[in-house]
């Protein structure tokens, strides 16, 4: 049985800056509790390593849909975790952005199932969004950006081109992409 988690936060930063920061997946361990590393494989694929309640999990995720300044969606495609999700970005005004994260996951093993029963997953997502808010608000600008478009029809194999890094020192295209609209199953 899957667990659906949904949370929203308002970030005191412009839409583009908030979206650009979210695309920097390799920075996720700096604000996501339990995430040890995220490695960008290519524009569409990520390898995650997490450690939660003493349980280490590794899995691969595929960006299914990414539309700059609007959404990023993903699904796992291999490893110990089964999930899909979407993060959306909505301007409130010129200097504030609403970030909404929806995650659908299947708890694995005793620790995850117990966590689901105790509401740990909900509080983890809420905490991660609060830490992201602090992370981006405490900076003068995003640590990088990836503005490429990834379409659902291209998911499921290979990579989509067309992305360009937008600031000096930004990793090459694919070094940051977040979740958008619901991934195709």
């Amino acid at each position: 049985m899957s667990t659906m988690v949904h949370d929203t936060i308002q970030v005191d930063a412009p839409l583009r800056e908030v979206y650009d920061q979210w695309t920097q997946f390799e920075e996720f361990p700096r604000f996501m509790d339990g995430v040890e590393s995220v490695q960008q494989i290519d524009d569409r694929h990520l390898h995650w390593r997490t450690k939660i309640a003493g349980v280490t999990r590794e899995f691969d995720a595929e960006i299914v849909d990414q539309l700059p300044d609007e959404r990023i969606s993903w699904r796992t495609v291999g490893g110990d975790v089964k999930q899909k999700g979407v993060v959306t970005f909505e301007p409130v005004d010129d200097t504030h952005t609403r970030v909404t994260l929806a995650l659908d996951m299947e708890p694995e093993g005793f620790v995850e199932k117990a966590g689901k029963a105790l509401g740990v997953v909900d509080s983890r997502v809420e905490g991660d969004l609060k830490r992201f808010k602090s992370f981006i608000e405490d900076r003068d600008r995003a640590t990088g950006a990836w503005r490429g478009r990834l379409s659902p029809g291209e998911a499921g194999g290979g990579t989509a081109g067309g992305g360009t890094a937008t600031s000096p020192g930004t990793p090459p295209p694919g070094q940051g992409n977040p979740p958008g609209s619901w991934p195709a199953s």
Side-chain angles (χ1 to χ4, degrees):
M1 182 175 197
S2 68
T3 298
M4 179 61 149
V5 179
H6 182 269
D7 204 352
T8 301
I9 197 163
Q10 182 171 304
V11 179
D12 298 337
L15 172 67
R16 185 176 180 124
E17 183 177 328
V18 173
Y19 175 86
D20 286 352
Q21 183 60 58
W22 195 277
T23 67
Q24 302 306 292
F25 298 119
E26 293 183 354
E27 298 283 341
F28 280 12
R30 295 178 71 180
F31 58 85
M32 286 189 172
D33 191 29
V35 175
E36 290 188 335
S37 66
V38 178
Q39 179 186 5
Q40 188 84 35
I41 306 301
D42 58 32
D43 290 351
R44 194 174 287 278
H45 298 93
L46 308 163
H47 182 77
W48 290 68
R49 179 179 170 87
T50 62
K51 187 171 186 178
I52 299 170
V55 176
T56 299
R57 299 264 191 244
E58 291 197 40
F59 60 95
D60 295 321
E62 175 184 43
I63 304 301
V64 175
D65 187 19
Q66 181 172 341
L67 182 59
D69 298 332
E70 281 191 30
R71 69 180 172 273
I72 302 167
S73 65
W74 72 96
R75 65 179 167 208
T76 55
V77 292
D80 299 335
V81 174
K82 292 182 178 97
Q83 68 171 240
K84 61 184 177 180
V86 60
V87 63
T88 59
F89 307 86
E90 180 182 357
V92 175
D93 57 33
D94 289 346
T95 60
H96 299 87
T97 304
R98 183 174 300 111
V99 178
T100 300
L101 177 63
L103 179 65
D104 187 10
M105 61 182 282
E106 291 184 29
E108 298 285 328
F110 176 76
V111 172
E112 288 86 353
K113 289 176 183 173
K116 174 187 171 200
L118 298 172
V120 172
V121 176
D122 289 317
S123 64
R124 181 172 302 276
V125 167
E126 179 182 359
D128 288 346
L129 285 177
K130 286 179 180 177
R131 284 184 294 277
F132 174 72
K133 173 183 170 65
S134 294
F135 183 80
I136 192 70
E137 288 176 359
D138 290 346
R139 310 186 71 76
D140 289 335
R141 61 186 174 143
T143 60
W146 193 80
R147 309 286 304 166
R149 170 70 168 119
L150 299 175
S151 299
E154 299 164 347
T159 62
T164 57
T166 59
S167 62
T170 299
Q175 293 293 324
N177 298 327
S181 62
W182 281 113
S185 295

